[in-house]
Amino acid sequence: YGTEYSNINGKFEQKVWKDDFDAIIEDINIDNRNRVLNSDFIRNHLDPSNRRLIVEDWSINEDWHIESTESNEYLCRKRTGLTNTLATTAISNYFPVRNGERVLFSFELTHSGLDDDKVVAIDLFDITDRRLLKQEFSLESMTQVGNRYHGSFSLQSPGAEKGRVVLQLPKNGEVKFTRVSFQNADIGSVDWSPAPEDSWIIQSRLATYISQVEDEVTIGGVGRKLDTLT
């Protein structure tokens, strides 16, 4: 990282940059970190054209919403009156997996009124994005510590190269998720930590020129085109 300051004709500028961003991403060891991006849902906004919720690095069905507390952002969904199963989902972006590895997945959840507690699944895909497996897990089958649930399983799908986490409400009830994690089970800890890319994404968004003249602030991207500043 580097930082450069200048004061030209009373105009203060700060430039922050980060070198070799892509190279560092490629060097991450998937064995020792959370692989789910934006796992605490803090990068979210409403689409100005239709007011639909956008959660970066996630694909979500309609009517999910964010509830904020002092410490967390919760991705939430509530339904009543369904007579048949019709899952509504929030699905993470792909992350790398290795066939044969044992993985640990976990999340924080508050819930009520569930008539089907299979609220999480793991999808596995080959390199061409062909789905090889969808493994659902019930809350009953997982270990609970406070509001945090965790489970593990061994990936036994030859050709599996990619995975993703599926948060779902299969039928009726209410769910509120935050702090999702997927990591190698050899790490042993079920505590949540963000993916390292999350910190780098925020830092790269600060890799901008910030020019302030009187009460006017203009932001211009450096190196990468950045649509928003978080």
Side-chain angles (χ1 to χ4, degrees):
Y1 295 94
T3 304
E4 178 181 300
Y5 300 91
S6 63
N7 190 336
I8 302 174
N9 297 326
K11 179 180 179 180
F12 177 75
E13 284 195 348
Q14 179 185 22
K15 177 183 178 182
V16 186
W17 70 91
K18 185 175 185 303
D19 296 327
D20 302 322
F21 186 85
D22 291 330
I24 294 174
I25 290 286
E26 292 172 358
D27 288 341
I28 295 172
N29 182 344
I30 68 172
D31 287 340
N32 59 10
R33 54 117 175 165
N34 184 4
R35 303 177 205 176
V36 181
L37 295 182
N38 198 19
S39 58
D40 53 357
F41 313 123
I42 62 171
R43 297 196 307 278
N44 70 81
H45 64 277
L46 295 179
D47 187 324
S49 65
N50 57 19
R51 307 298 294 171
R52 182 171 177 175
L53 176 65
I54 304 296
V55 179
E56 293 184 22
D57 299 304
W58 290 79
S59 299
I60 61 175
N61 290 153
E62 291 187 29
D63 297 325
W64 289 76
H65 64 279
I66 292 289
E67 292 187 9
S68 301
T69 68
E70 291 184 359
S71 56
N72 291 311
E73 299 277 283
Y74 289 88
L75 187 58
C76 310
R77 187 67 165 90
K78 181 178 182 179
R79 290 193 305 194
T80 59
L82 287 183
T83 56
N84 297 311
T85 297
L86 182 63
T88 177
T89 59
I91 303 174
S92 74
N93 277 2
Y94 292 124
F95 46 74
V97 298
R98 285 196 295 260
N99 186 48
E101 70 171 325
R102 188 163 186 82
V103 297
L104 176 71
F105 58 95
S106 60
F107 49 87
E108 291 181 23
L109 171 69
T110 59
H111 63 87
S112 63
L114 295 177
D115 46 18
D116 186 338
D117 73 343
K118 294 184 179 68
V119 298
V120 66
I122 304 298
D123 282 342
L124 299 179
F125 298 83
D126 66 13
I127 195 65
T128 67
D129 295 340
R130 179 172 63 95
R131 188 163 70 181
L132 305 176
L133 175 72
K134 180 175 183 177
Q135 180 68 55
E136 294 183 312
F137 298 89
S138 66
L139 295 178
E140 185 180 11
S141 70
M142 303 179 69
T143 300
Q144 180 181 1
V145 180
N147 288 333
R148 190 156 192 86
Y149 294 81
H150 62 90
S152 64
F153 76 111
S154 181
L155 275 60
Q156 300 297 331
S157 295
E161 298 280 347
K162 306 175 184 180
R164 62 187 188 182
V165 173
V166 181
L167 308 177
Q168 59 187 25
L169 179 59
K171 199 174 178 183
N172 298 306
E174 183 176 21
V175 289
K176 299 181 180 183
F177 292 98
T178 193
R179 296 190 172 186
V180 182
S181 181
F182 184 102
Q183 63 189 49
N184 189 283
D186 292 339
I187 302 302
S189 173
V190 298
D191 293 336
W192 174 84
S193 61
E197 297 96 323
D198 285 329
S199 296
W200 297 343
I201 288 168
I202 292 172
Q203 289 164 350
S204 72
R205 289 181 175 185
L206 295 174
T208 60
Y209 284 113
I210 301 178
S211 301
Q212 184 168 7
V213 180
E214 296 180 350
D215 60 350
E216 179 182 0
V217 177
T218 60
I219 299 172
V222 177
R224 292 175 177 268
K225 181 179 179 182
L226 303 173
D227 294 328
T228 60
L229 178 68
T230 300

